[in-house]
Short mmCIF file of all heavy atoms in Angstrom, two decimals:
data_model
loop_
_atom_site.label_atom_id
_atom_site.label_comp_id
_atom_site.label_asym_id
_atom_site.label_seq_id
_atom_site.Cartn_x
_atom_site.Cartn_y
_atom_site.Cartn_z
N LEU A 12 -40.38 30.98 72.71
CA LEU A 12 -39.88 30.95 74.07
C LEU A 12 -38.37 30.86 74.05
O LEU A 12 -37.83 29.95 73.44
CB LEU A 12 -40.48 29.73 74.81
CG LEU A 12 -40.01 29.46 76.22
CD1 LEU A 12 -40.49 30.57 77.16
CD2 LEU A 12 -40.52 28.11 76.72
N LEU A 13 -37.71 31.82 74.70
CA LEU A 13 -36.26 31.82 74.76
C LEU A 13 -35.79 31.65 76.23
O LEU A 13 -36.47 32.19 77.12
CB LEU A 13 -35.67 33.07 74.19
CG LEU A 13 -35.68 33.27 72.67
CD1 LEU A 13 -35.14 34.65 72.30
CD2 LEU A 13 -34.89 32.17 71.98
N PRO A 14 -34.67 30.98 76.43
CA PRO A 14 -34.14 30.83 77.82
C PRO A 14 -33.46 32.10 78.27
O PRO A 14 -32.21 32.16 78.47
CB PRO A 14 -33.16 29.66 77.66
CG PRO A 14 -32.71 29.72 76.29
CD PRO A 14 -33.86 30.23 75.47
N THR A 15 -34.25 33.15 78.51
CA THR A 15 -33.68 34.45 78.85
C THR A 15 -33.09 34.47 80.22
O THR A 15 -32.10 35.19 80.48
CB THR A 15 -34.77 35.55 78.72
OG1 THR A 15 -35.91 35.17 79.48
CG2 THR A 15 -35.16 35.75 77.27
N GLY A 16 -33.68 33.72 81.17
CA GLY A 16 -33.10 33.70 82.54
C GLY A 16 -31.65 33.31 82.57
O GLY A 16 -30.78 34.05 83.06
N PRO A 17 -31.33 32.11 82.05
CA PRO A 17 -29.93 31.69 82.01
C PRO A 17 -29.02 32.67 81.23
O PRO A 17 -27.87 32.87 81.60
CB PRO A 17 -29.96 30.34 81.33
CG PRO A 17 -31.33 29.81 81.60
CD PRO A 17 -32.22 31.03 81.60
N SER A 18 -29.55 33.25 80.16
CA SER A 18 -28.72 34.14 79.37
C SER A 18 -28.39 35.40 80.15
O SER A 18 -27.28 35.91 80.11
CB SER A 18 -29.42 34.49 78.06
OG SER A 18 -30.51 35.36 78.26
N LEU A 19 -29.33 35.91 80.88
CA LEU A 19 -29.09 37.11 81.70
C LEU A 19 -28.07 36.84 82.79
O LEU A 19 -27.19 37.68 83.03
CB LEU A 19 -30.40 37.62 82.31
CG LEU A 19 -31.48 38.11 81.29
CD1 LEU A 19 -32.77 38.43 82.03
CD2 LEU A 19 -30.97 39.31 80.57
N LEU A 20 -28.18 35.71 83.42
CA LEU A 20 -27.25 35.36 84.48
C LEU A 20 -25.83 35.18 83.97
O LEU A 20 -24.85 35.36 84.70
CB LEU A 20 -27.71 34.11 85.22
CG LEU A 20 -29.01 34.27 86.06
CD1 LEU A 20 -29.46 32.89 86.60
CD2 LEU A 20 -28.82 35.28 87.16
N ARG A 21 -25.74 34.80 82.68
CA ARG A 21 -24.41 34.58 82.09
C ARG A 21 -23.96 35.79 81.25
O ARG A 21 -22.91 35.72 80.58
CB ARG A 21 -24.45 33.33 81.22
CG ARG A 21 -24.69 32.05 82.03
CD ARG A 21 -24.56 30.80 81.14
NE ARG A 21 -25.59 30.77 80.13
CZ ARG A 21 -25.37 30.66 78.82
NH1 ARG A 21 -24.16 30.62 78.36
NH2 ARG A 21 -26.37 30.65 77.96
N GLU A 22 -24.72 36.89 81.28
CA GLU A 22 -24.41 38.07 80.49
C GLU A 22 -24.21 37.75 78.99
O GLU A 22 -23.29 38.24 78.35
CB GLU A 22 -23.19 38.80 81.08
CG GLU A 22 -23.42 39.42 82.43
CD GLU A 22 -22.36 40.41 82.85
OE1 GLU A 22 -21.35 40.53 82.14
OE2 GLU A 22 -22.54 41.06 83.88
N VAL A 23 -25.13 36.95 78.48
CA VAL A 23 -25.12 36.68 77.07
C VAL A 23 -26.00 37.68 76.38
O VAL A 23 -27.20 37.82 76.68
CB VAL A 23 -25.62 35.24 76.78
CG1 VAL A 23 -25.81 35.04 75.28
CG2 VAL A 23 -24.65 34.21 77.36
N ASP A 24 -25.45 38.47 75.46
CA ASP A 24 -26.21 39.47 74.74
C ASP A 24 -26.94 38.79 73.60
O ASP A 24 -26.30 38.18 72.71
CB ASP A 24 -25.29 40.57 74.23
CG ASP A 24 -24.63 41.35 75.32
OD1 ASP A 24 -25.16 41.38 76.43
OD2 ASP A 24 -23.58 41.97 75.05
N MET A 25 -28.24 38.97 73.52
CA MET A 25 -29.06 38.42 72.41
C MET A 25 -29.42 39.56 71.50
O MET A 25 -30.17 40.46 71.90
CB MET A 25 -30.29 37.70 72.96
CG MET A 25 -29.94 36.51 73.84
SD MET A 25 -31.43 35.55 74.27
CE MET A 25 -32.24 36.68 75.39
N LEU A 26 -28.92 39.56 70.31
CA LEU A 26 -29.05 40.69 69.37
C LEU A 26 -29.86 40.26 68.15
O LEU A 26 -29.56 39.28 67.50
CB LEU A 26 -27.65 41.18 68.94
CG LEU A 26 -26.73 41.60 70.06
CD1 LEU A 26 -25.39 42.01 69.45
CD2 LEU A 26 -27.33 42.76 70.85
N GLY A 27 -30.84 41.12 67.81
CA GLY A 27 -31.58 40.91 66.57
C GLY A 27 -30.83 41.48 65.38
O GLY A 27 -30.10 42.42 65.51
N VAL A 28 -31.01 40.82 64.26
CA VAL A 28 -30.41 41.26 63.00
C VAL A 28 -31.52 41.41 61.99
O VAL A 28 -32.15 40.42 61.61
CB VAL A 28 -29.32 40.29 62.48
CG1 VAL A 28 -28.77 40.74 61.14
CG2 VAL A 28 -28.17 40.17 63.52
N PHE A 29 -31.79 42.63 61.53
CA PHE A 29 -32.84 42.84 60.58
C PHE A 29 -32.27 43.49 59.31
O PHE A 29 -31.89 44.66 59.31
CB PHE A 29 -33.94 43.74 61.17
CG PHE A 29 -35.16 43.88 60.29
CD1 PHE A 29 -35.91 42.74 59.95
CD2 PHE A 29 -35.54 45.08 59.79
CE1 PHE A 29 -37.03 42.86 59.14
CE2 PHE A 29 -36.67 45.21 58.96
CZ PHE A 29 -37.41 44.09 58.64
N ARG A 30 -32.13 42.68 58.31
CA ARG A 30 -31.58 43.12 57.02
C ARG A 30 -30.18 43.72 57.15
O ARG A 30 -29.32 43.11 57.78
CB ARG A 30 -32.55 44.06 56.32
CG ARG A 30 -33.89 43.41 55.97
CD ARG A 30 -34.91 44.42 55.47
NE ARG A 30 -36.18 43.72 55.18
CZ ARG A 30 -37.36 44.32 55.12
NH1 ARG A 30 -37.42 45.64 55.27
NH2 ARG A 30 -38.48 43.64 54.87
N TYR A 31 -29.95 44.98 56.73
CA TYR A 31 -28.62 45.52 56.70
C TYR A 31 -28.72 47.02 56.39
O TYR A 31 -29.74 47.52 55.90
CB TYR A 31 -27.75 44.86 55.62
CG TYR A 31 -28.52 44.66 54.32
CD1 TYR A 31 -28.67 45.66 53.41
CD2 TYR A 31 -29.15 43.45 54.06
CE1 TYR A 31 -29.43 45.51 52.26
CE2 TYR A 31 -29.89 43.24 52.92
CZ TYR A 31 -30.04 44.30 52.02
OH TYR A 31 -30.76 44.15 50.85
N ALA A 32 -27.66 47.74 56.66
CA ALA A 32 -27.53 49.15 56.30
C ALA A 32 -26.10 49.46 55.97
O ALA A 32 -25.17 49.06 56.74
CB ALA A 32 -28.02 50.03 57.46
N ASN A 33 -25.87 50.14 54.87
CA ASN A 33 -24.52 50.60 54.45
C ASN A 33 -23.55 49.43 54.30
O ASN A 33 -22.36 49.58 54.62
CB ASN A 33 -24.00 51.60 55.48
CG ASN A 33 -24.99 52.74 55.74
OD1 ASN A 33 -25.40 53.47 54.85
ND2 ASN A 33 -25.39 52.87 57.00
N CYS A 34 -24.02 48.30 53.79
CA CYS A 34 -23.18 47.14 53.68
C CYS A 34 -22.84 46.74 52.25
O CYS A 34 -21.92 45.95 52.01
CB CYS A 34 -23.85 45.93 54.36
SG CYS A 34 -23.96 46.04 56.16
N TYR A 35 -23.59 47.23 51.27
CA TYR A 35 -23.43 46.73 49.90
C TYR A 35 -22.05 47.01 49.31
O TYR A 35 -21.46 46.10 48.71
CB TYR A 35 -24.52 47.31 49.01
CG TYR A 35 -25.51 46.27 48.56
CD1 TYR A 35 -26.44 45.77 49.46
CD2 TYR A 35 -25.53 45.77 47.29
CE1 TYR A 35 -27.35 44.80 49.09
CE2 TYR A 35 -26.43 44.80 46.88
CZ TYR A 35 -27.35 44.34 47.80
OH TYR A 35 -28.26 43.37 47.41
N PRO A 36 -21.49 48.21 49.46
CA PRO A 36 -20.15 48.40 48.87
C PRO A 36 -19.13 47.43 49.42
O PRO A 36 -18.30 46.87 48.65
CB PRO A 36 -19.81 49.86 49.26
CG PRO A 36 -21.15 50.51 49.37
CD PRO A 36 -22.06 49.48 49.97
N GLU A 37 -19.14 47.22 50.74
CA GLU A 37 -18.18 46.25 51.34
C GLU A 37 -18.44 44.84 50.89
O GLU A 37 -17.53 44.05 50.60
CB GLU A 37 -18.17 46.35 52.85
CG GLU A 37 -17.12 45.49 53.51
CD GLU A 37 -17.10 45.54 55.03
OE1 GLU A 37 -17.82 46.42 55.57
OE2 GLU A 37 -16.39 44.71 55.65
N ALA A 38 -19.72 44.48 50.76
CA ALA A 38 -20.08 43.14 50.30
C ALA A 38 -19.54 42.85 48.91
O ALA A 38 -18.95 41.84 48.64
CB ALA A 38 -21.60 42.95 50.36
N LEU A 39 -19.77 43.82 48.01
CA LEU A 39 -19.29 43.66 46.63
C LEU A 39 -17.77 43.63 46.56
O LEU A 39 -17.15 42.85 45.80
CB LEU A 39 -19.85 44.75 45.74
CG LEU A 39 -21.35 44.62 45.43
CD1 LEU A 39 -21.90 45.89 44.80
CD2 LEU A 39 -21.61 43.39 44.54
N ALA A 40 -17.13 44.44 47.39
CA ALA A 40 -15.65 44.46 47.44
C ALA A 40 -15.15 43.12 47.95
O ALA A 40 -14.16 42.59 47.37
CB ALA A 40 -15.19 45.57 48.31
N LEU A 41 -15.77 42.57 48.95
CA LEU A 41 -15.34 41.27 49.45
C LEU A 41 -15.54 40.17 48.40
O LEU A 41 -14.64 39.34 48.19
CB LEU A 41 -16.15 40.90 50.71
CG LEU A 41 -15.61 41.35 52.05
CD1 LEU A 41 -16.68 41.13 53.13
CD2 LEU A 41 -14.31 40.61 52.40
N LEU A 42 -16.64 40.20 47.75
CA LEU A 42 -16.93 39.16 46.73
C LEU A 42 -15.93 39.27 45.58
O LEU A 42 -15.48 38.25 45.04
CB LEU A 42 -18.38 39.31 46.19
CG LEU A 42 -19.47 38.92 47.17
CD1 LEU A 42 -20.80 39.43 46.71
CD2 LEU A 42 -19.52 37.38 47.32
N GLY A 43 -15.58 40.51 45.23
CA GLY A 43 -14.62 40.68 44.14
C GLY A 43 -13.17 40.40 44.49
O GLY A 43 -12.34 40.15 43.65
N SER A 44 -12.91 40.43 45.81
CA SER A 44 -11.51 40.29 46.26
C SER A 44 -11.05 38.83 46.24
O SER A 44 -9.84 38.58 46.22
CB SER A 44 -11.37 40.82 47.69
OG SER A 44 -12.01 39.95 48.62
N GLY A 45 -11.97 37.88 46.28
CA GLY A 45 -11.57 36.49 46.33
C GLY A 45 -11.30 35.99 47.74
O GLY A 45 -11.04 34.79 47.94
N ARG A 46 -11.35 36.87 48.73
CA ARG A 46 -11.04 36.49 50.12
C ARG A 46 -12.02 35.44 50.65
O ARG A 46 -11.68 34.65 51.55
CB ARG A 46 -11.11 37.70 51.05
CG ARG A 46 -9.90 38.62 50.93
CD ARG A 46 -10.07 39.81 51.90
NE ARG A 46 -10.24 39.33 53.27
CZ ARG A 46 -10.83 40.00 54.24
NH1 ARG A 46 -11.38 41.19 53.94
NH2 ARG A 46 -10.94 39.51 55.42
N LEU A 47 -13.24 35.43 50.12
CA LEU A 47 -14.24 34.48 50.64
C LEU A 47 -14.19 33.13 49.92
O LEU A 47 -14.97 32.23 50.24
CB LEU A 47 -15.63 35.09 50.46
CG LEU A 47 -15.91 36.45 51.17
CD1 LEU A 47 -17.35 36.85 50.96
CD2 LEU A 47 -15.57 36.31 52.64
N GLY A 48 -13.30 32.98 48.96
CA GLY A 48 -13.24 31.73 48.20
C GLY A 48 -14.19 31.80 46.99
O GLY A 48 -14.78 32.82 46.69
N ASN A 49 -14.35 30.68 46.35
CA ASN A 49 -15.14 30.61 45.14
C ASN A 49 -16.62 30.47 45.52
O ASN A 49 -17.24 29.38 45.48
CB ASN A 49 -14.74 29.46 44.27
CG ASN A 49 -15.41 29.46 42.91
OD1 ASN A 49 -16.23 30.32 42.60
ND2 ASN A 49 -15.01 28.52 42.06
N VAL A 50 -17.23 31.58 45.89
CA VAL A 50 -18.61 31.56 46.37
C VAL A 50 -19.60 31.16 45.28
O VAL A 50 -20.71 30.70 45.55
CB VAL A 50 -19.03 32.92 46.97
CG1 VAL A 50 -18.24 33.20 48.21
CG2 VAL A 50 -18.88 34.03 45.95
N ASP A 51 -19.21 31.33 44.00
CA ASP A 51 -20.10 30.96 42.90
C ASP A 51 -20.51 29.48 42.99
O ASP A 51 -21.57 29.09 42.50
CB ASP A 51 -19.45 31.23 41.53
CG ASP A 51 -19.34 32.72 41.25
OD1 ASP A 51 -19.03 33.47 42.19
OD2 ASP A 51 -19.55 33.09 40.09
N GLN A 52 -19.64 28.67 43.60
CA GLN A 52 -19.93 27.23 43.72
C GLN A 52 -21.15 26.95 44.59
O GLN A 52 -21.67 25.82 44.61
CB GLN A 52 -18.73 26.47 44.22
CG GLN A 52 -17.58 26.41 43.19
CD GLN A 52 -16.47 25.47 43.64
OE1 GLN A 52 -16.71 24.46 44.35
NE2 GLN A 52 -15.23 25.79 43.28
N MET A 53 -21.56 27.91 45.41
CA MET A 53 -22.75 27.73 46.22
C MET A 53 -23.99 27.48 45.37
O MET A 53 -24.96 26.87 45.84
CB MET A 53 -22.99 28.96 47.12
CG MET A 53 -22.02 29.10 48.26
SD MET A 53 -22.24 30.67 49.12
CE MET A 53 -23.97 30.67 49.47
N VAL A 54 -24.00 28.02 44.16
CA VAL A 54 -25.16 27.90 43.30
C VAL A 54 -25.20 26.51 42.70
O VAL A 54 -24.40 26.19 41.84
CB VAL A 54 -25.16 28.97 42.19
CG1 VAL A 54 -26.42 28.82 41.33
CG2 VAL A 54 -25.13 30.35 42.81
N THR A 55 -26.12 25.69 43.18
CA THR A 55 -26.16 24.28 42.74
C THR A 55 -27.18 24.04 41.67
O THR A 55 -27.08 23.00 40.99
CB THR A 55 -26.47 23.39 43.96
OG1 THR A 55 -27.59 23.98 44.72
CG2 THR A 55 -25.30 23.27 44.90
N GLN A 56 -28.13 24.94 41.48
CA GLN A 56 -29.13 24.77 40.46
C GLN A 56 -29.50 26.13 39.85
O GLN A 56 -29.53 27.14 40.56
CB GLN A 56 -30.44 24.14 40.98
CG GLN A 56 -30.37 22.68 41.33
CD GLN A 56 -29.80 22.43 42.72
OE1 GLN A 56 -29.73 23.37 43.54
NE2 GLN A 56 -29.40 21.21 43.01
N LYS A 57 -29.72 26.14 38.56
CA LYS A 57 -30.25 27.31 37.85
C LYS A 57 -31.50 26.88 37.09
O LYS A 57 -31.55 25.80 36.48
CB LYS A 57 -29.24 27.92 36.89
CG LYS A 57 -28.08 28.64 37.54
CD LYS A 57 -27.20 29.26 36.44
CE LYS A 57 -25.97 29.92 37.02
NZ LYS A 57 -25.14 30.48 35.94
N TYR A 58 -32.51 27.75 37.10
CA TYR A 58 -33.77 27.47 36.44
C TYR A 58 -34.18 28.67 35.59
O TYR A 58 -33.99 29.83 36.03
CB TYR A 58 -34.91 27.20 37.45
CG TYR A 58 -34.62 26.15 38.48
CD1 TYR A 58 -33.84 26.44 39.60
CD2 TYR A 58 -35.13 24.87 38.34
CE1 TYR A 58 -33.64 25.45 40.58
CE2 TYR A 58 -34.93 23.87 39.31
CZ TYR A 58 -34.12 24.17 40.41
OH TYR A 58 -33.89 23.25 41.38
N PRO A 59 -34.78 28.46 34.46
CA PRO A 59 -35.37 29.60 33.74
C PRO A 59 -36.59 30.10 34.51
O PRO A 59 -37.22 29.38 35.27
CB PRO A 59 -35.76 29.00 32.38
CG PRO A 59 -35.98 27.56 32.67
CD PRO A 59 -34.99 27.20 33.73
#
């Protein structure tokens, strides 16, 4: 159940996001650029 009535009256656009398309090259470029910071630190555990 979503509060669609109030959203419509306020012209709030509700957009679905399903996976991605044509994003991998830019994602890898961003990761390699360092602009996002040290994202490797997000990995807190490794398991075999």
Side-chain angles (χ1 to χ4, degrees):
L12 176 67
L13 286 177
T15 52
S18 72
L19 295 174
L20 292 174
R21 295 185 295 123
E22 292 193 354
V23 172
D24 294 338
M25 298 188 291
L26 303 177
V28 176
F29 187 62
R30 297 173 182 158
Y31 43 81
N33 308 302
C34 292
Y35 251 72
E37 185 179 351
L39 287 168
L41 271 170
L42 289 165
S44 71
R46 286 180 56 205
L47 302 183
N49 189 357
V50 294
D51 290 39
Q52 290 188 32
M53 287 173 52
V54 180
T55 46
Q56 288 83 15
K57 289 183 183 179
Y58 306 81

